[in-house]
Amino acid sequence: MAQDQAFTVTPWEVKGKVDYRRLAEQFGVKLLTEEDVKMIEKLAGDSHHLLRRGFFYAHRGLENIIERIVNRKRWALYTGRGPSADLHLGHILPWMFTKWLCDRFNVELFFEMTDDEKFLVRDLPLEEANRYAYDNALTLIALGFRPDQLHLIIDTEDIRYLYKIAVKVAKCLTLSTVKHTFGFTDSTNVGAAFFPTLQIAVAFLPTELYGEECPVLIPAGIDQDPYFRLARDIADRLGYPKPCTLYCKFVPALTGEEKMSASRPETAIYILDDDNTVKRKIMNALTGGQPTKELQRKLGGNPDVCVVYKYFMAYVEDDSVVSKIYADCKSGNILCGECKKILYEYIVKLLHDIRDRREKARDVIESYRISSKFR
Ligand code: TYM
């Protein structure tokens, strides 16, 4: 849990304008250096826009994974989702990058759907969280993962893979540590207090399943760090390798600086939003533009504070498109309305592609379940 005068970041709440350097300091995670980025690119034989544009910016223990890649030792990827609602564009950002890691390094991904978590910490029936787990999985699969690459774990259904590890984790964590780490109080239900053991358990699962040391690399938004700080603290005691992490910044809300959040629908673009809704939301987004057309032409806008520009950075891979938008905005060559229309075209194309592939995923979802591959 990180609290500052200007911002709050917990796994359940992000508020205010996050100062990412400060947050990294408060969490005690390392900033990704240019050398780190170059090293990953060299080993991958490719570059990813989220890495080279600084979206992924901090880590724990990345050097360990790099050492394993260089020495061709086993490792795996791990990430997840708390299925409490439809997915928005922010959620899929770390997953798009995870897919690239899967392909470039030929590693498997363990993906946890924490339907139990969302039941315990939100006002949501368990059945509904479970239904969202299946629905959100369709979008995940639609990002292009193959069944041999992605092992889907749904907590309430696949608990037998996790429970033995979770009780060992639980015995290493005191109530006071969990309360302090997650900001729980005496009125927090005991299920919520136990839940972190399950998110930590998946980090150790590949080692159990393969019967050999298999550290995980966890690409995720930085709000998830508290779990993995605890996981690293107790790994040695349990005889597991420490999980490593790679954290991204948040895609901002369309209306400003806060994280895009499912609880404020007008500020977020959902994967299932229809084209008109996407258009309306983008057209209402906050920009770094001048108050009038004339001033924009004369003085140019400020892409560095513009939410629309941040979306170009996040979802448009082609550097030449993104740098042209930047230059045209600064010089007053483009007006905000025109720029938003260009973004809209990119975003609806992305959403249409995902939605088409979601439909195909319905028939094959079972082949992604961990139970179809591991005993
Ligand atoms: P959840 O469902 O809150 O979020 C899923 C993933 O999306 C990231 N995220 C964002 N990334 C960029 N911009 C945003 N606006 C944005 N909003 C959300 C989150 O950081 C996360 O990576 N407890 C977890 C589920 C989980 C998990 C994991 C997540 C289980 N095991 C391992 C990461 C890694 C949760 O509720 O995530």
Side-chain angles (χ1 to χ4, degrees):
M1 193 171 69
Q3 247 168 339
D4 196 275
Q5 276 180 339
F7 63 86
T8 305
V9 176
T10 78
W12 300 288
E13 185 187 35
V14 176
K15 268 201 326 217
K17 180 174 165 37
V18 179
D19 175 338
Y20 285 99
R21 267 182 174 265
R22 251 188 97 83
L23 180 59
E25 243 170 57
Q26 288 177 0
F27 275 170
V29 301
K30 281 195 192 155
L31 294 178
L32 209 61
T33 63
E34 244 173 72
E35 289 71 51
D36 294 330
V37 173
K38 283 201 186 112
M39 187 57 157
I40 299 172
E41 290 177 338
K42 184 174 153 215
L43 294 170
D46 191 13
S47 160
H48 193 281
H49 69 282
L50 294 175
L51 205 52
R52 66 176 181 267
R53 294 180 194 158
F55 269 93
F56 276 86
Y57 87 108
H59 73 97
R60 286 187 189 268
L62 181 68
E63 54 287 346
N64 184 30
I65 296 296
I66 288 178
E67 183 270 326
R68 295 189 80 90
I69 297 171
V70 170
N71 294 308
R72 298 179 185 283
K73 293 192 226 158
R74 200 187 257 280
W75 60 285
L77 287 159
Y78 162 37
T79 196
R81 159 74 178 149
S84 56
D86 287 332
L87 291 166
H88 60 56
L89 278 176
H91 295 123
I92 65 168
L93 191 90
W95 306 349
M96 290 158 67
F97 179 63
T98 304
K99 171 71 169 92
W100 180 81
L101 291 171
C102 263
D103 290 342
R104 293 293 164 266
F105 295 107
N106 197 20
V107 276
E108 293 168 27
L109 166 64
F110 290 80
F111 191 102
E112 182 183 32
M113 287 287 181
T114 54
D115 52 351
D116 50 349
E117 172 194 10
K118 292 295 143 146
F119 168 66
L120 291 164
V121 302
R122 290 266 168 85
D123 187 15
L124 189 74
L126 188 55
E127 294 67 28
E128 201 169 327
N130 184 255
R131 192 181 62 71
Y132 276 123
Y134 278 92
D135 182 82
N136 290 180
L138 297 178
T139 296
L140 174 69
I141 293 169
L143 298 179
F145 292 99
R146 300 187 314 265
D148 61 318
Q149 274 181 327
L150 165 63
H151 309 311
L152 184 65
I153 301 160
I154 300 177
D155 278 0
T156 59
E157 298 181 17
D158 299 314
I159 190 65
R160 67 191 169 94
Y161 294 92
L162 304 182
Y163 196 62
K164 280 188 189 162
I165 306 173
V167 288
K168 290 179 195 164
V169 169
K171 202 168 177 180
C172 292
L173 295 176
T174 64
L175 200 51
S176 123
T177 299
V178 172
K179 271 170 86 172
H180 180 76
T181 306
F182 296 99
F184 292 154
T185 64
D186 281 352
S187 56
T188 303
N189 70 67
V190 293
F194 181 75
F195 166 74
T197 66
L198 291 166
Q199 183 151 337
I200 293 170
V202 183
F204 302 139
L205 180 63
T207 294
E208 289 289 346
L209 291 177
Y210 296 125
E212 63 175 289
E213 184 169 289
C214 182
V216 290
L217 176 65
I218 308 171
I222 187 156
D223 56 330
Q224 300 297 313
D225 181 65
Y227 294 100
F228 306 121
R229 185 175 67 226
L230 291 185
R232 286 175 65 84
D233 282 351
I234 62 174
D236 270 353
R237 255 192 286 168
L238 293 173
Y240 293 121
K242 283 190 198 311
C244 307
T245 61
L246 200 45
Y247 295 128
C248 65
K249 300 175 186 169
F250 305 118
V251 179
L254 289 161
T255 44
E257 283 147 351
E258 288 183 21
K259 174 186 171 229
M260 186 185 272
S261 161
S263 53
R264 295 189 308 278
E266 275 308 301
T267 72
I269 296 175
Y270 290 88
I271 306 302
L272 302 180
D273 273 348
D274 63 39
D275 295 0
N276 280 336
T277 306
V278 175
K279 189 178 265 169
R280 188 188 72 240
K281 288 180 176 177
I282 292 181
M283 285 314 197
N284 286 334
L286 190 84
T287 70
Q290 301 292 345
T292 66
K293 236 187 200 176
E294 292 67 33
L295 281 176
Q296 175 82 7
R297 290 272 182 234
K298 197 166 144 207
L299 304 173
N302 184 359
D304 295 314
V305 300
C306 177
V307 173
V308 175
Y309 180 66
K310 291 211 170 80
Y311 279 61
F312 274 101
M313 295 267 280
Y315 299 104
V316 178
E317 283 175 37
D318 189 337
D319 286 345
S320 65
V321 173
V322 178
S323 50
K324 185 164 174 357
I325 290 287
Y326 190 87
D328 282 350
C329 173
K330 281 220 121 166
S331 67
N333 240 350
I334 192 170
L335 300 175
C336 293
E338 296 163 345
C339 181
K340 285 172 170 175
K341 277 191 193 132
I342 301 174
L343 178 68
Y344 165 77
E345 295 298 335
Y346 277 100
I347 299 292
V348 287
K349 161 115 185 38
L350 174 69
L351 296 182
H352 285 189
D353 286 351
I354 292 177
R355 288 204 293 258
D356 288 349
R357 281 186 262 135
R358 259 177 65 92
E359 288 316 305
K360 296 182 189 121
R362 282 185 204 282
D363 298 333
V364 291
I365 191 166
E366 282 306 311
S367 63
Y368 288 84
R369 300 282 304 272
I370 190 165
S371 49
S372 74
K373 289 167 280 188
F374 294 92
R375 262 194 339 118

